[in-house]
């Protein structure tokens, strides 16, 4: 993913990041117009004279005000002359908007505080907001739904409000239920209901009527411009039907088990961390990873178990691995292989003799099974990764976790470690509890003394 950043001289530069190393960023949502700045315009320095350059400046300045170094604008962050890159970008677009820290919607047809009409009468900006062309474009549907934080700006770059404060207007204009705007799983809405959200929306290219819905239905398909709207929508329906028949989950389901993890009967507090884990792992089937790092005994393992129990229905399979050393993680893979084979007998060959060579083969077999197409809804928890292999440390006992991660870029991963140098995914530091009420609640739960919650004994 390419991201923009503002240089000291006021120009913009592009930086490319690997999917597992993308920093926090803002993203722009807008209607395309004449004179947009392209990727090649930015490279050869000819973009400043174009009308669309102002929108890039606006996005960069607003990102900086929000404390974000990087930002993304679709006109110039994608090389549309590269067919492979363009296909990847379209299929990744929903995820890119969803993962943005901030989404800025620029509305050039809305003024504030009042808008003067052709007959010299006035109307409030709310009326202009509701009539904005932005609500009638096909691609802006996912740009409205996917991000958690969406801010709306008028043509003078003044803030009008956000997705929360303007919810009533948005729901009435679009017909989208409030709970969809608030982050409810899109799979909770029927296919017909989601299709209805796009009935009054138009796209420049007819085929984009279908392609702009890929993220809304969590499906992927190749782009064939020239096939026409009807054929594109028919192919979209085929992919939706495949997913609805359960090919994504049911063919790879494995019964949930806590046999290899220390169970937590009552877990309290840490709601902020649980929410952050869920937000980081919530996805479209592509690889999502969270690294929980903190002191030993701080509660990283218990936090992982609590998340696993709370969200077990979101996954087709959940596996627990002890990665304190290579032997332990290989033994964990052997247990995984047996667990998978019990429900999918032909999936992985399991040997009765666990020799070193056999264990290596088992690891590769499990990784291959987890990398199969459509097997995207699993969760792997790698616990006790406390001796990671790092460039700065030449410890012969160190473990390279990348050897034990599935090769394909799919599924979800949680890693617990004492090291803050593990750079696999989204880092979450687990700290000591600072809220006395949380500490009292834990003590109350463990001791079964309810009066401790209110501090009545002090």
């Amino acid at each position: 993913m390419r991201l923009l950043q503002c240089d000291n001289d006021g120009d913009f530069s592009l930086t490319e990041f690997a999917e597992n190393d993308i920093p926090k960023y803002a993203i722009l949502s807008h209607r395309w117009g004449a004179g947009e700045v392209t990727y090649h315009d930015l490279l050869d320095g000819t973009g400043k004279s174009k009308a669309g350059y102002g929108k890039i400046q606006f996005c960069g300045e607003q990102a900086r005000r929000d404390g974000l170094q990087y930002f993304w604008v679709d006109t110039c962050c994608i090389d549309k002359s590269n067919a492979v890159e363009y296909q990847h970008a379209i299929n990744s677009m929903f995820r890119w908007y969803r993962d943005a820290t901030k989404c800025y919607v620029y509305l050039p047809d809305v003024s504030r505080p009042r808008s003067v009409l052709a007959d010299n009468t006035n109307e409030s900006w709310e009326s202009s907001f509701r009539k904005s062309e932005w609500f009638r474009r096909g691609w802006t549907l996912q740009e409205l739904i996917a991000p958690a934080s969406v801010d709306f700006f008028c043509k003078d770059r003044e803030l009008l409000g956000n997705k929360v404060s303007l919810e009533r207007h948005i729901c009435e204009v679009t017909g989208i239920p409030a709970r969809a705007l608030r982050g409810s799983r899109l799979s909770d809405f029927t296919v017909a209901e989601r299709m209805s959200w796009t009935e009054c929306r138009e796209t420049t290219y007819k085929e984009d009527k279908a392609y702009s819905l890929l993220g809304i239905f969590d499906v992927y398909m190749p782009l064939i411009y020239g096939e026409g709207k009807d054929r594109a929508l028919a192919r979209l329906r085929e992919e939706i039907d495949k997913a609805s028949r359960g090919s994504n989950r049911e063919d790879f389901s494995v019964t949930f088990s806590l046999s290899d993890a220390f169970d937590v009967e009552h877990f309290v507090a840490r709601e902020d961390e649980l929410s952050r884990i869920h937000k980081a792992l919530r996805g479209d089937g592509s690889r999502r990873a969270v690294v929980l790092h903190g002191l030993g005994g701080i509660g990283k393992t218990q936090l992982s178990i609590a998340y696993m129990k709370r969200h077990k229905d979101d996954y087709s399979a959940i596996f627990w691995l002890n990665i304190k050393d290579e032997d332990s993680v290989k033994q964990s893979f052997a247990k995984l292989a047996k667990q998978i084979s019990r429900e999918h007998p032909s999936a992985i060959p399991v040997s009765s003799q666990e020799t070193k060579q056999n264990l290596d083969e088992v690891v590769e077999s499990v990784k291959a099974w987890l990398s199969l197409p459509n097997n995207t809804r699993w969760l792997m928890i790698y616990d006790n990764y406390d001796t990671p292999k790092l460039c700065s440390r030449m410890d012969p006992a160190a473990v390279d976790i990348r050897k034990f991660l599935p090769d394909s870029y799919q599924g979800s991963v949680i890693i617990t470690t004492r090291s803050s140098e593990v750079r696999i995914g989204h880092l979450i530091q687990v700290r000591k509890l600072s809220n006395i009420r949380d500490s009292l609640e834990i003590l109350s739960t463990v001791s079964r003394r309810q009066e401790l919650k209110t501090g009545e004994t002090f």
Side-chain angles (χ1 to χ4, degrees):
M1 183 183 191
R2 292 193 193 92
L3 294 176
L4 287 157
Q5 68 179 127
C6 190
D7 299 331
N8 293 331
D9 57 4
D11 290 335
F12 301 107
S13 62
L14 286 164
T15 304
E16 193 158 344
F17 293 92
E19 290 285 348
N20 62 353
D21 196 33
I22 297 172
K24 292 183 178 180
Y25 61 92
I27 199 164
L28 180 68
S29 174
H30 66 114
R31 286 169 47 218
W32 278 52
E36 296 291 357
V37 179
T38 67
Y39 170 71
H40 292 288
D41 291 334
L42 210 61
L43 291 185
D44 60 28
T46 59
K48 289 184 178 180
S49 61
K50 291 195 167 185
Y53 194 76
K55 288 188 283 189
I56 300 174
Q57 287 180 309
F58 155 70
C59 190
E61 291 166 0
Q62 188 59 44
R64 186 168 60 249
R65 280 192 285 270
D66 288 331
L68 297 169
Q69 180 180 358
Y70 297 98
F71 61 102
W72 189 89
V73 180
D74 57 354
T75 59
C76 58
C77 288
I78 304 169
D79 181 3
K80 297 175 184 63
S81 65
N82 184 322
V84 174
E85 179 178 329
Y86 187 66
Q87 291 253 3
H88 173 74
I90 294 300
N91 278 282
S92 303
M93 199 71 70
F94 186 91
R95 172 162 51 90
W96 288 349
Y97 273 90
R98 183 202 62 209
D99 292 348
T101 301
K102 283 278 190 179
C103 176
Y104 307 132
V105 178
Y106 177 67
L107 305 174
D109 54 355
V110 179
S111 298
R112 186 178 186 181
R114 304 188 70 82
S115 178
V116 181
L117 302 182
D119 58 0
N120 291 324
T121 59
N122 293 331
E123 67 175 352
S124 67
W125 69 263
E126 287 95 339
S127 178
S128 296
F129 175 77
R130 295 168 68 99
K131 295 176 182 177
S132 175
E133 280 297 311
W134 186 86
F135 289 111
R136 277 165 277 283
R137 304 306 299 171
W139 287 104
T140 58
L141 174 62
Q142 66 178 6
E143 295 165 17
L144 170 65
I145 290 176
S149 176
V150 181
D151 292 339
F152 294 87
F153 294 84
C154 67
K155 71 175 183 180
D156 299 317
R157 306 180 184 181
E158 293 182 41
L159 179 66
L160 300 172
N162 56 43
K163 189 160 67 168
V164 177
S165 65
L166 298 171
E167 182 179 86
R168 179 177 62 84
H169 293 298
I170 296 170
C171 291
E172 291 174 358
V173 170
T174 63
I176 300 172
R179 60 195 182 98
L181 299 178
R182 296 172 186 171
S184 290
R185 293 185 306 180
L186 292 179
S187 58
D188 292 341
F189 302 91
T190 66
V191 171
E193 189 172 10
R194 281 177 277 173
M195 281 290 188
S196 72
W197 300 343
T198 192
E199 285 178 355
C200 297
R201 294 175 179 267
E202 298 295 331
T203 56
T204 302
Y205 296 102
K206 295 177 181 179
E207 295 85 358
D208 281 341
K209 188 79 171 180
Y211 304 158
S212 62
L213 295 175
L214 295 177
I216 298 295
F217 290 101
D218 192 14
V219 296
Y220 302 84
M221 67 184 199
L223 313 182
I224 310 175
Y225 284 104
E227 67 176 328
K229 182 180 75 172
D230 292 342
R231 177 57 188 150
L233 285 172
R235 288 199 299 123
L236 175 66
R237 282 283 190 181
E238 290 174 7
E239 295 302 320
I240 294 171
D241 289 344
K242 288 179 187 176
S244 66
R245 287 196 296 269
S247 61
N248 281 353
R249 289 189 60 171
E250 294 167 14
D251 291 345
F252 300 97
S253 60
V254 176
T255 304
F256 174 72
S257 172
L258 270 174
S259 60
D260 292 320
F262 174 74
D263 197 3
V264 180
E265 184 179 356
H266 302 288
F267 187 87
V268 296
R270 301 284 188 196
E271 287 300 321
D272 177 62
E273 288 92 338
L274 285 168
S275 176
R276 289 167 63 193
I277 295 171
H278 183 52
K279 181 179 179 181
L281 294 183
R282 187 177 59 191
D284 51 14
S286 59
R287 175 70 57 80
R288 314 290 293 164
V290 166
V291 177
L292 302 178
H293 67 95
L295 298 173
I298 203 73
K300 304 181 294 295
T301 297
Q302 290 84 350
L303 182 60
S304 302
I305 296 171
Y307 174 83
M308 179 172 65
K309 293 175 71 173
R310 182 173 297 188
H311 297 286
K312 63 181 184 294
D313 292 337
D314 293 342
Y315 300 98
S316 58
I318 299 177
F319 301 115
W320 189 276
L321 302 96
N322 183 357
I323 193 169
K324 69 176 182 178
D325 52 49
E326 283 212 3
D327 182 62
S328 296
V329 71
K330 288 180 180 180
Q331 292 295 334
S332 293
F333 267 95
K335 291 180 180 179
L336 262 59
K338 293 176 181 177
Q339 189 178 350
I340 294 167
S341 296
R342 278 197 294 269
E343 300 186 42
H344 305 277
S346 61
I348 299 173
V350 179
S351 172
S352 59
Q353 293 184 334
E354 294 180 355
T355 64
K356 181 178 180 181
Q357 181 180 354
N358 285 341
L359 284 176
D360 290 338
E361 291 173 357
V362 166
V363 170
E364 293 306 314
S365 295
V366 172
K367 287 168 57 181
W369 184 80
L370 293 168
S371 298
L372 290 173
N374 294 323
N375 189 7
T376 63
R377 299 294 183 183
W378 46 260
L379 170 64
M380 299 276 280
I381 300 177
Y382 295 81
D383 194 30
N384 299 320
Y385 188 45
D386 296 329
T387 54
K389 187 173 183 179
L390 304 169
C391 295
S392 59
R393 183 192 307 164
M394 304 304 293
D395 185 347
V399 182
D400 184 359
I401 194 172
R402 288 175 173 82
K403 291 167 48 180
F404 301 100
L405 292 173
D407 296 327
S408 64
Y409 195 76
Q410 61 193 40
S412 299
V413 173
I414 294 177
I415 300 167
T416 72
T417 177
R418 298 182 186 184
S419 172
S420 60
E421 298 182 70
V422 177
R423 296 288 188 269
I424 300 292
H426 183 77
L427 271 73
I428 297 177
Q429 184 174 4
V430 182
R431 305 175 185 269
K432 291 181 180 179
L433 290 172
S434 57
N435 189 322
I436 186 64
R437 292 189 178 277
D438 287 343
S439 301
L440 286 173
E441 188 171 359
I442 292 174
L443 184 59
S444 170
T445 301
V446 173
S447 65
R448 303 185 187 276
R449 295 173 59 189
Q450 294 300 310
E451 71 275 8
L452 291 177
K453 286 185 179 180
T454 58
E456 292 177 359
T457 60
F458 295 97

